[in-house]
Amino acid sequence: MTPRPLPTEPAAPAAGHRNLLTDDPELYELRFPDPGFTAARWAESVLRGYGAGPNVLDLGCGTGRDAEWLHRAAGRTVTGLDSSATMIEYARAHHPGPVYHVGDMRTFPFAAGRFDAALCLDSALLYCHTNEDLDALLGRLGRHLRPGGLLVAEMRNGAFFLGRTELLDAPRTDTVTRDGVTHTSHTTLWIDRAAQLLRRTRTWTSDDGAAPVAQHSAWRLLFPQELRHLLAAHGFTVLALYDRPGPRTEPPWTDGDLPADTADEDRLHLVARLDHRTRKRS
């Protein structure tokens, strides 16, 4: 899900303030390749393992790569939602099969009880920056999931940053090449403790002479017990909450892997079920 700008974010440099990868979904898929569809296969293993029905909502679906695999390879009926119209246009053209919508995951207006499961992969849940945002999203899910429906999420782990700084100590540099042009990103992370946000500045340069592009974004940092409390308040029971393995851990998840009994590393993997006795109607 494309992050919305925050009023407290630093001003962008004159070179520009936009999300290069969101604006260019093809470049996004080159920068973050998943040729084995590990994220989608992990999601399907969880959905199948917990007996989820066929109708799945993919929140923050991005380019539609995971949604298409779930539709094509797993035979699921998938609805993708993303706030980026550019991403949704790309998904419809390059990853057909699911039904895609441009929308806000806090306010999406689908029919009550329509979905058997909802996915929030790649920290999509954490673009809800405030408690009000999180309540709005979970309230929507409480309405649009059927009783007993699943929420499956994969995200950064706030607890990882308690005394650990290895992701914060130095900028990270990555490159991706397309059509003979090399794009280089320099990424810096820091913690806004008062807002409980992990903030990111990413500046892109390219060797074709184009002006640099700066991107500012942030994720809400949620702690495991805080997440359990939020979910319980909206009628969900946590079935699993663990740090590895998953599609973005090292080593990544492979078929047949069992979840660890820890929640210490930099990713959290969540499975929660909506209790039919307390399903909200908000």
Side-chain angles (χ1 to χ4, degrees):
M1 181 70 74
T2 305
R4 54 190 176 86
L6 297 178
T8 55
E9 288 181 349
H17 184 193
R18 60 190 179 91
N19 188 330
L20 179 66
L21 296 181
T22 300
D23 293 345
D24 191 338
E26 181 184 47
L27 192 64
Y28 179 97
E29 291 196 333
L30 287 172
R31 170 63 188 87
F32 299 108
D34 189 5
F37 298 98
T38 302
R41 290 191 297 105
W42 172 80
E44 172 59 21
S45 75
V46 174
L47 294 172
R48 185 174 63 251
Y50 284 91
N55 294 316
V56 174
L57 173 63
D58 185 3
L59 291 171
C61 66
T63 66
R65 181 171 57 193
D66 300 331
E68 184 202 9
W69 188 92
L70 290 167
H71 167 83
R72 171 179 48 81
R76 296 191 178 272
T77 300
V78 184
T79 299
L81 183 81
D82 200 279
S83 64
S84 168
T86 303
M87 283 287 198
I88 291 299
E89 181 181 2
Y90 182 91
R92 289 168 177 161
H94 293 85
H95 297 292
V99 176
Y100 295 106
H101 297 274
V102 179
D104 189 321
M105 61 183 172
R106 299 165 300 175
T107 59
F108 54 93
F110 297 125
R114 173 175 171 180
F115 299 105
D116 299 304
L119 302 178
C120 284
L121 304 181
D122 198 18
S123 296
L125 182 71
L126 304 186
Y127 288 124
C128 291
H129 290 169
T130 68
N131 294 338
E132 292 77 14
D133 288 341
L134 289 162
D135 282 336
L137 169 60
L138 294 174
R140 288 283 91 189
L141 289 176
R143 175 176 176 79
H144 295 311
L145 286 174
R146 67 168 179 81
L150 291 182
L151 169 60
V152 177
E154 180 269 333
M155 70 196 89
R156 290 183 176 272
N157 181 10
F160 174 80
F161 295 95
L162 294 174
R164 303 176 70 170
T165 64
E166 53 259 48
L167 297 182
L168 310 173
D169 289 338
R172 172 175 171 171
T173 299
D174 296 285
T175 62
V176 59
T177 300
R178 181 181 60 180
D179 299 331
V181 176
T182 297
H183 303 269
T184 301
S185 65
H186 302 278
T187 302
T188 302
L189 300 173
W190 75 100
I191 295 177
D192 180 344
R193 289 178 173 81
Q196 206 169 309
L197 294 175
L198 178 66
R199 294 194 181 275
R200 177 180 68 189
T201 294
R202 176 176 285 159
T203 302
W204 288 92
T205 58
S206 59
D207 60 7
D208 63 353
V213 175
Q215 173 202 348
H216 303 285
S217 55
W219 299 273
R220 172 68 180 264
L221 290 178
L222 291 172
F223 300 94
Q225 292 304 314
E226 178 186 21
L227 186 55
R228 289 180 182 275
H229 180 76
L230 282 166
L231 289 161
H234 287 273
F236 286 90
T237 298
V238 173
L239 305 177
L241 187 62
Y242 58 94
D243 54 9
R244 53 187 167 82
R248 293 168 183 83
T249 60
E250 187 57 47
W253 171 90
T254 59
D255 290 316
D257 282 349
L258 297 176
D261 59 0
T262 53
D264 302 323
E265 299 300 322
D266 64 330
R267 308 301 291 194
L268 271 182
H269 307 85
L270 165 74
V271 186
R273 191 182 304 279
L274 183 65
D275 189 336
H276 70 277
R277 295 169 297 178
T278 57
R279 184 165 71 93
K280 289 187 175 256
R281 296 284 180 179
S282 61

